[in-house]
């Protein structure tokens, strides 16, 4: 168990990629806090699955767009587990697809808050215990759209995800002296409720056919396995990187 004795916190851990990540970290031996905002049923189901693996799980309702909520989330985690080695900033959503000329100011601010500000707030909190123990893994979930500009009507989302990559690189330089690594993972089209909500099936199938050389969507478990590697000691010489997992949709 490469994460035995360690504790992880995964935001947006009640479904999709976040749920798969929480389970994968538990399989590697970690205790896991998973935050959620609306999907309590999903969060508790994932927590039950983690506990059946013999690991401790703590579902916590938190609006990670709000600094005060983030502080409470980390307090709950540390009260339960006493330490934090792995943070996965996964919470995010597109809101809805809207042409730029029609995008309301509120949508812009909300999408930036959820996808970028939340990452900054959670990193701030995580650094306190990680610096003290001189060890940590911060993993930020970005998107292939941060590289390509993404599909139509989603500029706030892809701008935020590009910001996540810049944040990752800057923070990696700042905290390397404390043996803390900071990396981003940029998924492409993954088979989750996210794409079902925001892209019509025919459009999604067309994108996969024309843009993805491997000719299929990715699976949440495939993203989770990459997170498991980055969270481990095996990745100790990787920091400031953005690791692409997109079936060849974008190659850098």
């Amino acid at each position: 168990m490469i994460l035995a004795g360690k504790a992880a916190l995964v935001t947006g851990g009640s479904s999709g990629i976040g749920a798969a990540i929480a389970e994968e970290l538990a399989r590697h031996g970690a205790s896991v806090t998973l935050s959620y905002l609306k999907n309590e049923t999903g969060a508790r189901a994932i927590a039950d699955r983690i506990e059946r693996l013999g690991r401790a799980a703590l579902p916590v309702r938190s609006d990670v767009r709000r600094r005060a909520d983030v502080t409470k989330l980390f307090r709950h985690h540390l009260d339960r587990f006493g330490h934090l080695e792995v943070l996965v900033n996964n919470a995010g959503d597109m809101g809805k697809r809207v042409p730029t000329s029609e995008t309301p100011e509120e949508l812009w601010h909300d999408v930036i808050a959820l996808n970028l500000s939340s990452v900054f707030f959670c990193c701030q909190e995580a650094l306190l215990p990680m610096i003290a123990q001189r060890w940590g893994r911060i993993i930020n979930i970005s998107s292939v759209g941060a590289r390509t500009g993404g599909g139509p009507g989603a500029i706030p989302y892809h701008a935020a995800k590009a910001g996540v990559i810049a944040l990752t690189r800057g923070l990696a330089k700042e905290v390397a002296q404390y043996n803390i690594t900071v990396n981003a993972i940029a998924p492409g089209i993954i088979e989750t409720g996210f794409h079902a909500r925001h892209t019509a099936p025919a459009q999604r199938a067309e994108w996969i056919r024309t843009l993805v050389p491997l000719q299929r969507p990715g699976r949440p478990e495939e993203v989770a396995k990459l997170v498991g590697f980055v969270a481990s000691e095996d990745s100790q010489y990787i920091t400031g990187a953005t690791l692409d997992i997109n079936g060849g949709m974008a190659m850098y």
Side-chain angles (χ1 to χ4, degrees), residues 168-180:
T168 297
R169 291 171 176 165
L171 188 59
K173 295 176 184 178
E174 183 178 318
V175 301
Q177 61 183 311
Y178 304 112
N179 197 31
I180 299 168

Side-chain angles (χ1 to χ4, degrees), residues 210-249:
T210 59
L211 300 177
V212 182
L214 287 181
Q215 293 287 285
R216 68 168 178 86
R219 297 185 295 272
E221 294 76 17
E222 292 174 306
V223 180
K225 289 182 183 300
L226 181 56
V227 171
F229 165 71
V230 177
S232 75
E233 289 279 10
D234 293 337
S235 70
Q236 61 186 313
Y237 203 57
I238 301 173
T239 196
T242 299
L243 305 177
D244 298 299
I245 179 165
N246 57 42
M249 188 175 183

Side-chain angles (χ1 to χ4, degrees), residues 1-4 6 27-29 228-229 231-234:
M1 290 294 179
I2 60 177
L3 294 176
K6 292 182 168 56
R27 287 191 190 93
H28 286 307
F229 165 71
S232 75
E233 289 279 10
D234 293 337

